[in-house]
Amino acid sequence: MSGEKKEEIKKAEDYLDIGKLYFLNQRYEEALSAFQKVIELEPGNPQGYYNLGLVYESKNMMLEAKKMFTQTLELDSKFKPAEDHLAKLVGI
């Protein structure tokens, strides 16, 4: 793995951590930006999609939340939290 690729992953992890802090402080727009950056840097990262789903769910944007939880499960079919959130939203 090249040094550049390792740095990219580190940045994605940093954005994930920053996004979680924003989310916990109900700063949803900043959280959305951080999690979108995770996906931009690392499109195969299920954590980015899952956390975007949580933000959308918190903003009552249920269609977008469903899409993000579905994408999470497409990347990682055993991602139980995404499965649980998607199950909650199925009837909506």
Side-chain angles (χ1 to χ4, degrees):
M1 183 183 286
S2 72
E4 184 179 315
K5 184 66 176 168
K6 279 186 179 179
E7 184 62 29
E8 206 171 270
I9 291 170
K10 176 88 171 98
K11 287 179 184 174
E13 289 172 1
D14 290 344
Y15 280 110
L16 195 57
D17 290 341
I18 291 166
K20 288 177 182 178
L21 284 174
Y22 283 138
F23 178 74
L24 289 172
N25 288 291
Q26 298 180 357
R27 293 174 58 180
Y28 298 133
E29 294 308 313
E30 291 98 332
L32 282 176
S33 293
F35 296 137
Q36 287 166 341
K37 190 71 174 169
V38 171
I39 291 168
E40 178 185 316
L41 291 170
E42 219 178 280
N45 186 330
Q47 287 281 337
Y49 293 97
Y50 172 71
N51 284 287
L52 268 177
L54 292 178
V55 176
Y56 286 134
E57 188 177 23
S58 295
K59 290 176 54 105
N60 208 29
M61 299 170 71
M62 299 311 176
L63 184 60
E64 291 86 348
K66 281 184 194 179
K67 287 178 186 175
M68 293 302 106
F69 295 138
T70 300
Q71 182 64 37
T72 302
L73 291 168
E74 286 176 12
L75 293 169
D76 180 357
S77 63
K78 296 179 193 231
F79 201 109
K80 182 77 170 120
E83 195 176 292
D84 293 343
H85 279 272
L86 189 58
K88 269 192 340 190
L89 296 177
V90 166
I92 295 175

